[in-house]
Amino acid sequence: MEKGLMLVVSGPAGSGKGTVNGRLSKMDGYAFSVSATTRAPRPGEVDGVNYHFISREEFEERIARGDMLEHTSYCGNYYGTPLKEALEVLEEGKNLILEIEVEGAMNVKRLYPEAVLIMLLPPTFAVQEWRLRHRGTETEEVIQRRLARTREELELLGEYDYIVYNRPDCAEDCVEDIRAIVRAERCSLRRHPNAKKAYFEQD
Ligand code: 5GP
């Protein structure tokens, strides 16, 4: 069976990546990688669904055991991708969505060059700021930190493979764009390095 694609879908705070990835991961052939984090759950977030919410001590133990595919420290908390779960999903042939920030994305790219890196962005920085404020889940201090962080994150935009714009009320279009990217990636010659040989051998 063909293995699934590792899809890194990053986006600054307020980009709407949660909505887009939530919808995508409900589709056939896709699965969401549930990260571990030391940050506190936001209202409505469920342990084991949105994140595995764990203590700093447990997180550090997991890093030491080599249980994390990648991990990072973001705005004062640890975030990481559980390795075993990720590899199992890919082996099942499902496309795995890693909703991770840029440093984690760079680590994934180094470790798994076949991963596809997608940056989801609001149409403008002003729209991002508006969304973040209207979400109403963070304090002003956290909002300021996350907006400042966006400028740093976009320094690495050039390392990504694709950019998808999330226009207001257009999450469904983003889902379709990502599915189109996956379809194109499956036909990419870099994923079929032995195509010519295989073609003639099957005569
Ligand atoms: P939030 O606290 O808003 O849920 O997430 C903060 C940032 O951490 C987001 O950019 C999110 O994509 C990223 N993030 C979530 N899980 C992981 C992970 O497992 N690894 C890394 N590197 N970043 C993550």
Side-chain angles (χ1 to χ4, degrees), residues 27-203:
M27 306 201 123
D28 259 3
Y30 288 84
F32 184 73
S33 161
V34 180
S35 295
T37 184
T38 58
R39 91 151 156 71
R42 293 193 190 118
E45 282 184 334
V46 178
D47 188 34
V49 175
N50 304 93
Y51 281 106
H52 299 290
F53 295 100
I54 61 176
S55 65
R56 290 190 82 80
E57 196 182 27
E58 188 177 348
F59 203 107
E60 282 165 5
E61 276 169 20
R62 289 201 193 177
I63 297 171
R65 280 204 305 262
D67 288 353
M68 294 291 179
L69 184 150
E70 60 75 41
H71 70 275
T72 197
S73 179
Y74 175 94
C75 293
N77 283 299
Y78 281 130
Y79 294 82
T81 306
L83 176 65
K84 192 163 156 271
E85 289 167 37
L87 297 183
E88 280 170 4
V89 166
L90 295 171
E91 283 301 325
E92 283 168 20
K94 287 190 185 160
N95 302 311
L96 180 70
I97 305 160
L98 305 186
E99 187 183 302
I100 64 178
E101 50 62 72
V102 291
E103 272 174 30
M106 293 308 110
N107 287 332
V108 169
K109 183 172 166 156
R110 194 168 35 79
L111 294 166
Y112 300 89
E114 71 279 14
V116 183
L117 272 58
I118 302 171
M119 177 65 81
L120 187 74
L121 279 185
T124 63
F125 186 62
V127 172
Q128 181 195 344
E129 186 167 359
W130 186 90
R131 281 191 191 154
L132 206 47
R133 290 191 192 289
H134 279 73
R135 184 158 85 180
T137 48
E138 278 98 359
T139 60
E140 181 58 27
E141 190 206 334
V142 172
I143 290 173
Q144 290 302 338
R145 241 190 299 160
R146 291 189 170 210
L147 287 173
R149 172 79 192 208
T150 300
R151 293 191 187 274
E152 291 168 30
E153 288 189 323
L154 290 193
E155 290 296 315
L156 289 167
L157 183 59
E159 298 293 323
Y160 278 70
D161 300 303
Y162 296 92
I163 184 164
V164 170
Y165 287 107
N166 189 6
R167 298 179 179 87
D169 303 319
C170 290
E172 209 48 52
D173 291 346
C174 297
V175 172
E176 286 313 309
D177 284 352
I178 296 174
R179 292 179 73 202
I181 289 167
V182 167
R183 200 155 172 170
E185 279 290 326
R186 287 225 176 268
C187 303
S188 160
L189 266 174
R190 78 176 172 129
R191 294 190 193 276
H192 299 272
N194 303 316
K196 191 169 84 182
K197 188 163 170 279
Y199 183 72
F200 287 116
E201 273 174 4
Q202 280 164 24
D203 253 357

